[in-house]
Amino acid sequence: MKQGRVKEYQMKINKTLLIALFSLLASTLYAQNAAKYVFLFIGDGMGDNAIYATELYKKTLEEPLALEPMAMNQLSVQSFMVTSSANSLQTDSAAGGTAIATGVKTTNKVLAMDTTLQFNLETVGEKAKKAGYKVGILSSVAIDHATPAAFYAHNKSRHAYDEIALQLLTSNFDYFAGGGVHNLGNIKDKKSFAYQLDKSEYRYLTSAEEIKNLKKGDEKIVAVNPGTYSGIEYYWEIDKPKESLSLAYMTKKGIELLDNEKGFFMMVEGGKIDWALHSNDLGSSIQETLALDDAVKVALDFYNSHKDETLIIVTADHETGGLILGSSTSKGLRMDLYQHQKISEQEFERKLDVLKKLKRKVSFEEVLDSVATNFGLGSGIKELELTDLEKEWLQVTYKKEFIKGQEINPDRDYLDQSSDKNFTERVIIIMSQKTGVAWPTTDHTAARVPVKAIGVGEDYFKTSIDNTEVHDIILKVMGIPNNK
Ligand SMILES: [Zn+2]
């Protein structure tokens, strides 16, 4: 080798060595800063006012509950996030979940696929799994529902529940928990979830005992809360039966199962906050938000003993209901009055349906009694007294729904308003008026949502972000290449 060539060769080696040394240094630095544990909490539809209403409500509870601010409000960074999808400023949960999970905006109703529906978008869960982390996906609604599905499934329709559920079984994720799948199907049918589950490594657990007995190292688990409607979604927090396992419990169990040398990524969704807000049922939304907050508290406790290696993010996929706190018709905001609401809008509707099916005639007084017992309206509490006009307004619907053939046409402006509303919806409207809240819509809005964070990489959330940035930030702090 000629001397010039030798020199060139040595320089090349030096350069290679230098690059190797530099990347080693960079990866060491990266590793030092990397988050080993990442929790992502998504309150579906949980706008800032839904959280603030919950905080105000909590302050009216008895001590010691009243003294401690909500866990999510204790996170050190409190910022905002834009939630638009590729085709609308008002995203749905599928596109909202996709943006958060994949860092790419897609069309409403689409799960982790691009807008041309040609390509699957790899999710943060899939990337974390490939990088050696354990992955958990939790929700209080069906585990094949839009938000959780956006982290493991790829489908042009969020409603293709059977296909989505099968993708859960091929996800290779370690822990699914909360609600079950929509259709277990027939185990003899090769295309069914039941058949494929049987052939897979996953265990589908539906009893509290089985779930409580799970131990560190147990993998490929689908833990379905025994307190669910038909094995699908959680009972409303406000109505939940004793056997129900909370989202907080499932989160705690998740930490136990997923903890390992490499670390984990866990997404926890409070799915029924959105459903309550769609019904403009703030009393139920408050309880669902508190349940999610209890799960955040579990993560915060974990963070306190793993401060240098944990990141907690709390956000929402969009706002629902356009909740207004302090409406012009109210005498002031009274979140404390929700302590008298003992039932969800949906469960009250069910109760009324039972009454409607009775063979005997159910009197208006009897229905009003039920309103008093379940909402405190007309029960003697001063602020919740029903005016004659309100009673009349309820009676119109009572007659329509309970006494066939006695339907009367409302002849006053007040009665004409919301004439499409049924009895339960009217009770909820009156409740909102008494507590001082108002709702311009029962749908999603384009409002920015809160994003809250604490731990490794929390600074990335200090400025208002786009929903696509959550994915990018998580990968950055976990030290996973972002090849989107
Ligand atoms: Zn949603």
Side-chain angles (χ1 to χ4, degrees):
M1 203 181 276
K2 284 186 180 166
Q3 213 175 1
R5 293 279 295 275
V6 170
K7 213 172 173 187
E8 200 179 297
Y9 184 66
Q10 273 178 342
M11 273 174 72
K12 228 177 191 174
I13 289 180
N14 286 346
K15 205 175 162 191
T16 316
L17 274 173
L18 211 66
I19 290 170
L21 201 70
F22 183 75
S23 35
L24 186 73
L25 196 72
S27 68
T28 315
L29 278 175
Y30 222 164
Q32 275 175 356
N33 293 325
K36 191 170 160 185
Y37 309 106
V38 173
F39 294 87
L40 171 62
F41 291 90
I42 301 178
D44 204 309
M46 186 179 72
D48 199 40
N49 279 351
I51 298 174
Y52 186 47
T54 308
E55 188 74 276
L56 290 173
Y57 170 86
K58 194 169 185 288
K59 282 195 172 74
T60 71
L61 296 176
E62 282 176 21
E63 291 178 12
L65 284 173
L67 297 176
E68 182 131 346
M70 290 168 71
M72 63 177 78
N73 287 339
Q74 294 182 41
L75 306 196
S76 38
V77 174
Q78 303 273 327
S79 185
F80 282 95
M81 187 173 89
V82 170
T83 65
S84 63
S85 70
N87 67 324
S88 175
L89 283 171
Q90 288 159 265
T91 189
D92 81 320
S93 295
T98 298
I100 294 171
T102 71
V104 179
K105 286 186 196 289
T106 192
T107 317
N108 284 0
K109 312 273 184 280
V110 175
L111 285 172
M113 292 186 82
D114 76 325
T115 51
T116 69
L117 304 178
Q118 299 297 309
F119 305 103
N120 287 348
L121 302 166
E122 202 173 24
T123 75
V124 63
E126 290 166 333
K127 287 171 187 169
K129 187 65 200 165
K130 267 189 194 167
Y133 292 90
K134 289 204 175 186
V135 175
I137 302 294
L138 291 76
S139 176
S140 57
V141 298
I143 203 68
D144 51 7
H145 209 266
T147 308
F151 286 81
Y152 66 84
H154 307 271
N155 206 294
K156 61 182 191 303
S157 169
R158 57 180 286 179
H159 299 297
Y161 292 121
D162 292 351
E163 293 170 21
I164 293 166
L166 290 179
Q167 290 181 338
L168 177 155
L169 296 175
T170 53
S171 69
N172 202 27
F173 291 180
D174 304 275
Y175 176 63
F176 290 92
V181 300
H182 277 77
N183 307 312
L184 284 169
N186 186 336
I187 197 156
K188 288 178 187 157
D189 172 7
K190 287 189 176 173
K191 286 182 188 153
S192 74
F193 180 82
Y195 180 89
Q196 296 297 336
L197 172 70
D198 193 47
K199 295 274 167 278
S200 77
E201 289 175 58
Y202 282 92
R203 282 192 285 156
Y204 196 83
L205 310 178
T206 53
S207 82
E209 203 188 343
E210 286 174 307
I211 295 169
K212 284 178 180 169
N213 285 339
L214 287 170
K215 293 275 173 303
K216 182 173 179 163
D218 280 340
E219 289 176 335
K220 306 285 182 287
I221 301 295
V222 186
V224 183
N225 182 4
T228 47
Y229 287 112
S230 336
I232 303 176
E233 91 250 9
Y234 275 40
Y235 279 94
W236 292 94
E237 196 58 28
I238 203 167
D239 311 316
K240 70 177 177 189
K242 275 200 194 86
E243 70 269 23
S244 192
L245 294 174
S246 64
L247 202 55
Y249 181 86
M250 294 300 206
T251 305
K252 205 168 189 170
K253 189 48 98 177
I255 293 172
E256 191 187 333
L257 299 186
L258 299 175
D259 195 6
N260 73 101
E261 274 304 299
K262 177 74 178 175
F264 61 72
F265 167 75
M266 202 190 302
M267 191 289 292
V268 184
E269 187 210 16
K272 294 189 90 163
I273 299 169
D274 175 65
W275 299 10
L277 296 169
H278 272 293
S279 303
N280 293 168
D281 176 3
L282 187 56
S284 295
S285 163
I286 285 172
Q287 297 301 330
E288 296 300 321
T289 308
L290 285 173
L292 179 68
D293 197 59
D294 284 345
V296 175
K297 180 147 192 336
V298 169
L300 200 53
D301 289 344
F302 179 85
Y303 162 82
N304 282 326
S305 49
H306 301 80
K307 280 190 178 165
D308 300 334
E309 43 191 5
T310 305
L311 170 65
I312 302 174
I313 306 159
V314 181
T315 190
D317 52 349
H318 52 80
E319 196 273 351
T320 303
L323 174 59
I324 295 163
L325 297 177
S327 72
S328 58
T329 54
S330 77
K331 290 177 186 151
L333 195 61
R334 291 291 302 271
M335 292 301 97
D336 58 308
L337 296 176
Y338 280 114
Q339 288 186 39
H340 302 288
Q341 182 176 338
K342 308 288 183 206
I343 198 168
S344 65
E345 193 243 20
Q346 195 182 5
E347 200 57 40
F348 188 63
E349 181 96 42
R350 280 201 179 94
K351 254 188 198 278
L352 292 189
D353 279 345
V354 171
L355 289 181
K356 282 174 201 169
K357 281 176 191 141
L358 292 178
K359 281 187 182 144
R360 65 176 174 81
K361 187 188 169 213
V362 175
S363 69
F364 181 52
E365 285 66 33
E366 201 175 330
V367 179
L368 275 189
D369 268 357
S370 186
V371 172
T373 310
N374 291 299
F375 293 89
L377 289 166
S379 66
I381 298 156
K382 193 170 154 268
E383 296 86 347
L384 292 176
E385 273 313 285
L386 287 172
T387 64
D388 289 344
L389 198 61
E390 284 163 346
K391 277 187 200 160
E392 204 178 323
W393 193 53
L394 287 174
Q395 198 166 16
V396 170
T397 335
Y398 159 77
K399 287 184 177 167
K400 205 188 265 182
E401 294 177 21
F402 284 79
I403 309 170
K404 288 191 184 81
Q406 285 205 29
E407 193 172 314
I408 59 164
N409 288 322
D411 55 1
R412 299 191 195 189
D413 285 346
Y414 181 76
L415 298 179
D416 267 335
Q417 279 175 20
S418 316
S419 57
D420 58 325
K421 301 287 183 194
N422 68 23
F423 192 91
T424 313
E425 288 165 337
R426 290 184 180 202
V427 170
I428 294 290
I429 289 170
I430 294 172
M431 197 67 191
S432 289
Q433 286 168 349
K434 304 284 182 197
T435 59
V437 303
W439 311 83
T441 178
T442 54
D443 214 333
H444 299 179
T445 73
R448 289 189 306 170
V449 293
V451 59
K452 301 156 185 279
I454 192 167
V456 185
E458 64 179 39
D459 285 355
Y460 289 117
F461 295 94
K462 277 191 171 162
T463 50
S464 175
I465 60 166
D466 186 68
N467 52 4
T468 54
E469 288 178 70
V470 175
H471 159 276
D472 301 351
I473 295 169
I474 292 174
L475 291 187
K476 206 178 284 180
V477 300
M478 289 186 101
I480 301 170
N482 187 354
N483 50 5
K484 77 173 184 194

